[in-house]
Amino acid sequence: MRVHARTRSTITAAGSALLALAVLAGCSGSSGPEGPGSGSGGVLNVGMPNGPQANNSNPFLDTSAGASLGYRAMIYEPLAMTNVVRPEQEPKPWLATAWEWAEDFTSVSFTIQDGPTWSDEEPFSAEDVAFTFELLASNDALNTAGIPYEDVVLDGSTVTVNFAESQFVNQTRILDTYIVPEHIWGELDAPETFENQEPVGTGPYVLESFTPQTVTLTRRDSYWQDLPAVEELRYTSYNDNNAQTTALANGDTEWSFVFMPDYENVFVDRDPENHKLWFPTGLGIHGLWINVEREPFDDPALRRAMAMVIDRQAIHEQAHAGLYPALENPTGLPLPAGESFLAPEYQGVTQEIDVEGARQVLQEAGYELDGDTLNTPEGEPVSLTLTDPAGWSDYLTALSIISDNLAEIGIEATVETQTVDAWTNSVNAGGFDATLHWTNTGATPYDMYQHIMDGDSYKPIGEASPAGNFGRFQDEEADQALDEYANATDEETRTEALHTLQRILVEEVPMIPTVAGPIGAEYSTKNWVGWPTEEDPYAPPQPTQRGALDVVLNLEPANAAD
């Protein structure tokens, strides 16, 4: 595919229904910052519990340090700024001043800003936008959302992107695209492996220094919008949740997303006036992803039995300290947010622990319980390994609960840990038996179900599937329902497709939902004010979200009014 020019635009204006994507940052795990988190001198200290980082600032790779810590959002900018916690809101124009969708959502036309410059002082232009979409279209490893790009047309300050099929469900993903400079990325032979250690973006910050523990960004005076009050951003990657929690409590970190049990005592009560947290939720969830290509877990009956014995309330209370809402409906839909999407047969239904019912399901499928051991119909003992990153205390507590639950039906489940990088690569390549992981979120449950069971994201074990379907689930009916939802021209068809997807998740169990997924953060108002709150939800509060730049641009020194 190549960019080509045309003389005039023929795009038709379309509606502005937008679906939000939230690639939730993990609650994972380094040593402390190089200095105290005073916030003085225009410094904002950000922390994540994600362990030592490799020097990689490729904005398209979710495995890069820029994504793991969130600083890519301060260097690279999107075409529009979307708000995943309020997906019904109109996106804010950013590198694009306006956009129009075709009526069938097979093309979108962007009007590009005049005035931004790259941080190396080269001018930004529509050519960079057209190049970025061409780059994604020609490189599957960078096109992690699997957008079916077909054609890119450049006409002055207008860039039109054409698609092979309707992109109704991917509008926000496309608006969220980070734009990169053609004069740098156009010279690369392998952009998918480019470590980008000297990143050049249109954002207000440049990378000043990088160590495996701390990344420092400094403000550049030539930014095209009003300069942020924050002059310097220091990102520290702690080894685990405990270290990150201590840094928040002591004030060494002023902004983070980390799971902390007993957060009132260990964080809020340490400085009640300034220590705050806000954990809004969307329609994404966390759950136990099962590798359905590994025997005997390719059997839906076994997966249904496993789902019947999982103690979701214990996971909600003990593993996630009540911060992640419990899931009671078997469809996995968080309630009440998902109430209006429920199929009639699942309205008012609560999934409770049913060990005897699970044993009955297994018996009817030919499994036998020999003492405390469940044997397959072929006489082999059923066992599996539950894997998540070391230091992710909430996930590991949940895995311990799940291990005990599965023992009730004779399944031996062993908990093992990995580094964050090793785990991410393993999840993407299908190198696991079962693992706790989050899903995408959006304005409807489509994003959640698509992330779990989309056959278009399927890859054989050993090949990376970063777009989702980590469990390697394949089902023609699910693919048809996802396709019908994405391409429907009426709400009735979309509703029926969602009902089908709910039934498939309940009956085939490609993943076992455990808790709803918050898009939360902890922060301090001691040095900086202007954070998003439930009363002013202008952006998701999490520092690893694509809207993190919007947060930083809204911050002001706490003493500004003095």
Side-chain angles (χ1 to χ4, degrees):
M1 191 196 80
R2 60 196 178 101
V3 175
H4 58 274
R6 70 174 182 184
T7 57
R8 61 189 183 132
S9 170
T10 58
I11 284 294
T12 304
S16 59
L18 294 168
L19 299 179
L21 166 69
V23 179
L24 287 175
C27 27
S28 57
S30 163
S31 61
E34 297 173 355
S38 65
S40 60
V43 176
L44 173 62
N45 291 282
V46 190
M48 288 295 292
N50 292 349
Q53 298 291 306
N55 191 351
N56 189 322
S57 297
N58 190 318
F60 300 116
L61 301 181
D62 289 338
T63 55
S64 70
S68 178
L69 302 183
Y71 67 81
R72 65 178 176 179
M74 307 298 158
I75 297 173
Y76 294 96
E77 296 184 294
L79 293 162
M81 191 67 71
T82 61
N83 184 357
V84 69
V85 299
R86 293 294 184 271
E88 73 282 358
Q89 291 181 356
E90 288 289 331
K92 301 176 184 177
W94 216 261
L95 290 181
T97 60
W99 52 92
E100 291 180 328
W101 287 92
E103 289 183 357
D104 61 358
F105 293 93
T106 59
S107 63
V108 59
S109 181
F110 295 101
T111 303
I112 306 305
Q113 287 275 9
D114 180 22
T117 62
W118 297 103
S119 56
D120 62 0
E121 303 307 323
E122 291 290 325
F124 162 84
S125 71
E127 283 83 354
D128 295 302
V129 176
F131 166 79
T132 298
F133 282 115
E134 183 187 33
L135 176 69
L136 296 174
S138 60
N139 196 305
D140 290 342
L142 300 183
N143 182 18
T144 57
I147 305 294
Y149 297 104
E150 187 174 71
D151 185 60
V152 179
V153 178
L154 175 63
D155 179 18
S157 63
T158 300
V159 175
T160 298
V161 186
N162 300 301
F163 309 96
E165 58 192 37
S166 169
Q167 293 306 293
F168 175 81
V169 298
N170 286 322
Q171 293 173 72
T172 296
R173 290 183 176 93
I174 293 162
L175 294 177
D176 279 343
T177 301
Y178 287 125
I179 305 302
V180 297
E182 181 179 12
H183 65 277
I184 293 176
W185 288 74
E187 302 297 320
L188 303 177
D189 293 328
E192 70 278 5
T193 61
F194 181 40
E195 294 181 340
N196 196 29
Q197 295 183 357
E198 298 179 1
V200 172
T202 58
Y205 295 94
V206 294
L207 194 153
E208 177 70 18
S209 63
F210 187 101
T211 73
Q213 289 76 35
T214 303
V215 180
T216 300
L217 307 185
T218 55
R219 189 181 68 188
R220 67 183 184 103
D221 293 336
S222 57
Y223 182 52
W224 62 283
Q225 299 194 79
D226 290 341
L227 292 180
V230 177
E231 299 175 12
E232 183 176 297
L233 286 157
R234 294 177 188 167
Y235 289 83
T236 299
S237 192
Y238 293 85
N239 279 329
D240 53 34
N241 288 357
N242 290 335
Q244 179 62 84
T245 297
T246 299
L248 278 164
N250 293 341
D252 292 337
T253 292
E254 298 168 282
W255 188 18
S256 182
F257 168 52
V258 61
F259 168 75
M260 54 175 72
D262 196 18
Y263 60 88
E264 289 283 354
N265 288 327
V266 301
F267 174 60
V268 176
D269 288 350
R270 293 289 298 271
D271 187 354
E273 182 179 353
N274 295 303
H275 286 181
K276 311 292 182 182
L277 72 167
W278 181 41
F279 272 59
T281 60
L283 286 171
I285 61 175
H286 295 244
L288 188 71
W289 296 65
I290 303 169
N291 192 333
V292 303
E293 289 203 338
R294 290 192 174 180
E295 296 181 350
F297 304 101
D298 56 346
D299 183 358
L302 177 58
R303 302 196 299 267
R304 281 198 301 274
M306 293 168 63
M308 293 171 70
V309 300
I310 300 299
D311 191 342
R312 294 163 181 79
Q313 190 63 27
I315 293 172
H316 160 66
E317 294 177 355
Q318 299 172 28
H320 298 291
L323 286 174
Y324 294 23
L327 292 176
E328 298 180 346
N329 192 276
T331 65
L333 287 179
L335 302 179
E339 188 75 44
S340 63
F341 300 104
L342 276 175
E345 62 263 39
Y346 299 119
Q347 292 177 6
V349 176
T350 299
Q351 180 161 314
E352 299 179 350
I353 299 172
D354 187 1
V355 174
E356 291 305 316
R359 289 174 176 170
Q360 183 66 30
V361 168
L362 292 169
Q363 183 179 352
E364 292 174 357
Y367 294 80
E368 293 185 358
L369 192 61
D370 181 10
D372 294 330
T373 301
L374 181 69
N375 292 323
T376 67
E378 294 74 31
E380 298 294 328
V382 179
S383 63
L384 79 164
T385 300
L386 307 174
T387 311
D388 271 299
W392 290 18
S393 55
D394 52 341
Y395 268 15
L396 296 180
T397 300
L399 289 184
S400 179
I401 292 170
I402 291 170
S403 176
D404 291 342
N405 297 156
L406 295 179
E408 292 289 321
I409 53 174
I411 298 176
E412 181 184 4
T414 304
V415 177
E416 291 186 358
T417 62
Q418 296 176 295
T419 65
V420 174
D421 286 346
W423 173 76
T424 300
N425 292 332
S426 177
V427 169
N428 288 345
F432 64 94
D433 290 340
T435 183
L436 281 173
H437 196 286
W438 54 90
T439 71
N440 289 338
T441 188
T444 78
Y446 170 86
D447 295 79
M448 177 182 79
Y449 291 126
Q450 183 270 339
H451 201 203
I452 296 170
M453 60 180 84
D454 189 359
D456 286 343
S457 299
Y458 170 83
K459 300 289 185 183
I461 289 179
E463 294 185 22
S465 177
N469 195 359
F470 307 124
R472 274 56 186 174
F473 182 71
Q474 296 184 84
D475 185 277
E476 290 184 3
E477 189 178 15
D479 292 342
Q480 181 179 350
L482 289 167
D483 184 68
E484 287 177 351
Y485 185 94
N487 293 286
T489 58
D490 62 278
E491 283 302 314
E492 182 178 356
T493 301
R494 292 193 185 99
T495 297
E496 288 302 315
L498 277 183
H499 292 176
T500 297
L501 293 168
Q502 291 170 41
R503 177 178 53 78
I504 292 172
L505 185 131
V506 172
E507 296 179 359
E508 300 295 321
V509 196
M511 183 263 251
I512 301 175
T514 53
V515 290
I519 312 164
E522 298 91 359
Y523 57 88
S524 171
T525 60
K526 181 178 181 180
N527 298 303
W528 299 102
V529 295
W531 302 94
T533 63
E534 187 170 3
E535 294 73 29
D536 185 16
Y538 66 84
Q542 204 170 96
T544 56
Q545 287 290 308
R546 289 176 179 258
L549 175 58
D550 204 11
V551 176
V552 171
L553 291 176
N554 275 274
L555 295 182
E556 296 290 343
N559 60 2
D562 295 346

